[in-house]
Amino acid sequence: MKCFSRYLPYIFRPPNTILSSSCHTEADIISTVEFNNTGELLATGDKGGRVVIFQREQESKNQPHRRGEYNVYSTFQSHEPELDYLKSLEIEEKINKIRWLPQQNAAYFLLSTNDKTVKLWKVSERDKRPEGYNLKDEEGRLRDPCTITTLRVPVLRPMDLMVEATPRRVFSNAHTYHINSISVNSDYETYMSADDLRINLWNLEITNRSFNIVDIKPTNMEELTEVITAAEFHPHHCNTFVYSSSKGTIRLCDMRSSALCDKHSKLFEEPEDPSNRSFFSEIISSISDVKFNHSGRYIMTRDYLTVKVWDLNMENRPIETYQVHDYLRSKLCSLYENDCIFDKFECVWNGSDSVIMTGSYNNFFRMFDRNTKRDVTLEASRENSKPRAILKPRKVCVGGKRRKDEISVDSLDFTKKILHTAWHPSENIIAVAATNNLYIFQDKVN
Amino acid sequence: MYPRGIKRKCLDPEEVDGSFADLKTVPSYTLERQSLLDMSLVKLQLCHMLVEPNLCRSVLIANTVRQIQEEMTQDGSWPVFHNHKPDYQAPLEHLVSSDVLCRSSREQDDSKPIEDSYIAYSEELEVQETQEISELSTVPSVKALQNSSGFWEVETPQENKAHFQKSLDHIFESLENRNASAMEDLFSEVDTSYYDLDTVLTGMMGNSKLGHCEMLDSLSPQAAPHSHCKAEMNEIDHIVEILVES
C-alpha cells in the first residue's frame, strides 16, 4: 500500500486507561479481548487462565474529560491447568476465546474456553445482605437456643457492592484437538465450539451432550492437509455459520440441509495469483480469523498479510482487500524461521461496519476506512500514550530513503505483536491487547 | 510480484535482481530451497517431539515440505526412488505424513465405553507390544544404517546428496541426543511418549518396508484405540505388579 493517510475519521486518544501489571510473566499475556453487547463491559482472558472484566464508568458532569473510563469490575480464575491422564498431557489454562451472551436479567453471562473445555460464567452483583437471623448472630455463629426469647424477621441491609463470578456450566470432553473458536448463536440457546478438525453444537443448558456439525478429519490421517482455523455463526440466521481453513478458504454451511454439514452451501476462495507464488503462499493464505459484519451480509477474513471483505453473494473473490503489512512479503523466510508466520492475528469491525481494525508487529495496529479507502497505522505503547494525547499515525518505511518519523522494516520488533483487538459495539472506543498491556482508546472529545 | 525465489531475499539479498526464468536451476536457488527444506524438516522433527503439537502449524509445515519435494522431484534434484527400492522413501514420507503429526490425538471412541474397547482390543495388544519391542530393537542400528553406502545411493548430483544427507544427519543427531539423555526422563514422565518417539525413530530409520507399514498401521485412526488401551493396560499391569509384590 503506497499511501499512508495521515487522517482517519476517528482519532483515538489514549485515555485514561492503560491497564497492565508492571512486571509481567508469561501468564499475564492477554490472549483474548471482547466487549459485551452493550459495550458497558469489556472482558479479557490471559494465558494464566484468568478473566478480567472492566466496566465503563458512568459519565459525570464534574469531570467531563473522564468520559466513561473503564475500571476493573471483576477478576476470576476461569480455567486451571489440568492433566489429561489418558494422554499424560498437560492442558494449558490459557483462555483462547471469550464470548458474551446477550444480557437478559441483572446478571451477565459469558463463555470462556481454553484448548479443551468451555465454561459458562455468571457475573452478578450483590449490594445487600440479610441481617437479623434468629438462629445465628451477626458473625454467623449459632446462638444458644436458650438465649432466643423473641422471633424476628430478617431484613436486607445495603452493603458494599460485591461482584461474584460463578461457573454455571462446564462443557468438557467433546474436543480431541484444540478449540480455536466459540460462537453464540442468534437463537441464544445454542453455541458452537470449533477445534482443528471438528465443530460441535451445544445447547447452553446441556453439558453432557453436543452435536458434531462439521468433521473434516480424514479417515486416513496421512491425508490431512487442511485444518479449521476459525468459525462463527451468522448474526441473524441461526441455521447459518461459516468456518475458515488453513488453505485460505471459507465455507458457509446451512444446518437445515443436514445434521452433519459435510457439504458446504458456499465456498469462498480467491484464485492464487501466479505472480505472487512462493513456497509460503499457502502459509500466508491460511485464515486466522473470520467475522460476520453486523448485518450478516459480509464476512471479513484475516490472513497473514491482508484483511479481506467478502460479499456472501460472491464466492470467487473478495470485494475488498486491504494490505496490513505488505512490507513483510520480502521477509517471509525469516518470519518462517522464527515462527512468526504462524501468528494468528484477529480482525474486528467497528459499530457501523465502515471501519476495519487489525493488528500487526511492533505494537502497531491498522485501521481501514472502507468508504474513503484511507488507512492508518497506530501504535499502542506506554511512551506514546500520555493521557488525553492524540495518537500519532506511524509509518513504516518501504524501500528508498527513510524519512524522519518513519521506522524501517528492519527495526520492527517482532516480539511485540498485537493479535487481539475489540471495538465497542456502538461507539468509537477500542481495546487493544499488546502482550500484557490492555490499551483502551476513544475518539477525541469535542 | 516475487516468484518462488522470494526466500532468496533474506538469505542472499545481493542477488535479488536478475531474471527468475531459470531460477530453479540457479545453484543459489537450489541451495536456498535446500535450506528451507532442512529448516522445515527440523521444525517437523520438533513437532514430533511434542505430545500435542499445534496442528495447524504442523500441517502447514508438512504441506511446505510436500511442495518442495514436488518441485525437487520435477527438476530431478529429489532423490529418485525406484520401485524395487521402496525403503528409501520411508523416512521423509513418514516425516511429512500428517498422521504422525496428529498421532498424539489418538482418540478414544466417544460413543464406545472404554470397557468394551478394552476387551475387544486386549488380544491385539499383545501382538502390538511384541511388535514394538522388535521396532525398538532396530534403534541401535541407526549409525550403521546412516553410514552404509547403499542407503542413500541415489542418482543425484553430489552436492544435493550432501545436503540431503546433512539435513538428515542433523535430525539423526538430535534424535540421538534425545535418545541418550532425555529418553529415560520421557519414559518416567510420559508413558506414551516412548511410543511416540519410537514411531519417529522407526519412521526415520525404518529400513524394512514391513516395519514401516506396521508402524503406519499402528497409527491409523482405526487402530487408534489400541494405543489408548495399551496405556490403560500398562496401568493395570502396574497395579497387578504392585498387588503381587505386596
Side-chain angles (χ1 to χ4, degrees), chain A residues 78-341:
Chain A
S78 168
H79 287 69
E80 302 270 2
E82 280 180 83
L83 192 73
D84 180 339
Y85 293 98
L86 292 176
K87 290 191 201 164
S88 298
L89 177 73
E90 196 173 325
I91 303 168
E92 263 187 287
E93 66 273 30
K94 179 189 162 209
I95 308 294
N96 292 346
K97 281 278 162 18
I98 290 176
R99 287 290 177 269
W100 290 90
L101 270 67
Q103 196 178 359
Q104 282 163 338
N105 54 29
Y108 303 97
F109 287 87
L110 64 82
L111 288 170
S112 62
T113 186
N114 68 352
D115 284 342
K116 305 279 179 176
T117 305
V118 184
K119 291 184 182 179
L120 174 68
W121 288 88
K122 177 186 179 182
V123 181
S124 54
E125 293 183 359
R126 189 192 287 183
D127 58 356
K128 291 188 177 63
R129 65 187 171 102
E131 263 179 30
Y133 284 112
N134 288 292
L135 302 176
K136 287 189 285 188
D137 66 12
E138 296 312 316
E139 271 89 53
R141 285 175 303 220
L142 278 180
R143 286 162 58 176
D144 181 358
C146 309
T147 64
I148 304 171
T149 52
T150 52
L151 276 181
R152 48 184 184 171
V153 179
V155 287
L156 289 173
R157 296 229 184 271
M159 63 166 207
D160 287 343
L161 182 70
M162 209 168 76
V163 183
E164 291 175 321
T166 42
R168 300 309 294 260
R169 302 274 183 277
V170 178
F171 307 89
S172 52
N173 300 323
H175 286 279
T176 311
Y177 303 92
H178 292 174
I179 299 175
N180 52 47
S181 310
I182 44 175
S183 176
V184 180
N185 199 349
S186 56
D187 62 13
Y188 304 153
E189 285 185 354
T190 55
Y191 79 93
M192 67 172 165
S193 54
D195 69 24
D196 296 311
L197 297 177
R198 294 193 180 108
I199 302 178
N200 292 330
L201 181 70
W202 302 82
N203 186 302
L204 282 163
E205 297 294 324
I206 302 168
T207 58
N208 60 357
R209 184 183 308 159
S210 68
F211 297 94
N212 183 226
I213 51 174
V214 174
D215 188 346
I216 63 162
K217 183 173 177 286
T219 333
N220 182 356
M221 277 296 267
E222 271 192 273
E223 289 158 16
L224 180 70
T225 57
E226 188 174 12
V227 297
I228 299 168
T229 53
E232 192 180 47
F233 266 119
H234 189 281
H236 308 301
H237 300 152
C238 63
N239 54 292
T240 310
F241 67 94
V242 292
Y243 69 91
S244 60
S245 90
S246 60
K247 280 197 189 290
T249 60
I250 309 112
R251 286 177 174 83
L252 182 109
C253 300
D254 187 343
M255 292 196 286
R256 293 173 302 187
S257 60
S258 61
L260 183 65
C261 299
D262 276 339
K263 294 189 178 64
H264 50 262
S265 319
K266 291 187 178 200
L267 174 71
F268 301 88
E269 186 173 24
E270 191 176 23
E272 193 185 24
D273 177 4
S275 65
N276 254 342
R277 208 173 135 68
S278 81
F279 285 123
F280 303 113
S281 294
E282 184 183 325
I283 300 178
I284 62 170
S285 69
S286 172
I287 293 173
S288 51
D289 197 15
V290 59
K291 293 267 167 68
F292 272 107
N293 76 330
H294 292 82
S295 74
R297 166 75 189 270
Y298 303 105
I299 326 170
M300 163 167 58
T301 57
R302 173 71 210 263
D303 56 39
Y304 191 61
L305 295 179
T306 68
V307 180
K308 290 171 182 161
V309 178
W310 304 76
D311 187 332
L312 279 196
N313 299 320
M314 188 163 74
E315 296 167 56
N316 61 348
R317 62 185 167 86
I319 52 167
E320 294 155 28
T321 300
Y322 301 97
Q323 301 296 336
V324 179
H325 37 218
D326 200 47
Y327 44 81
L328 297 184
R329 197 174 280 279
S330 59
K331 301 253 170 252
L332 291 179
C333 192
S334 358
L335 293 164
Y336 180 68
E337 191 166 11
N338 63 17
D339 269 357
C340 281
I341 203 166

Side-chain angles (χ1 to χ4, degrees), chain A residues 19 52-55 70-75:
Chain A
L19 304 147
V52 181
I53 301 175
F54 301 92
Q55 185 185 40
Y70 283 81
N71 294 314
V72 175
Y73 178 64
S74 171
T75 305

Side-chain angles (χ1 to χ4, degrees), chain B residues 134-149:
Chain B
S134 65
E135 274 166 17
L136 272 173
S137 66
T138 64
V139 174
S141 61
V142 170
K143 260 285 187 245
L145 267 177
Q146 197 184 334
N147 295 333
S148 73
S149 55

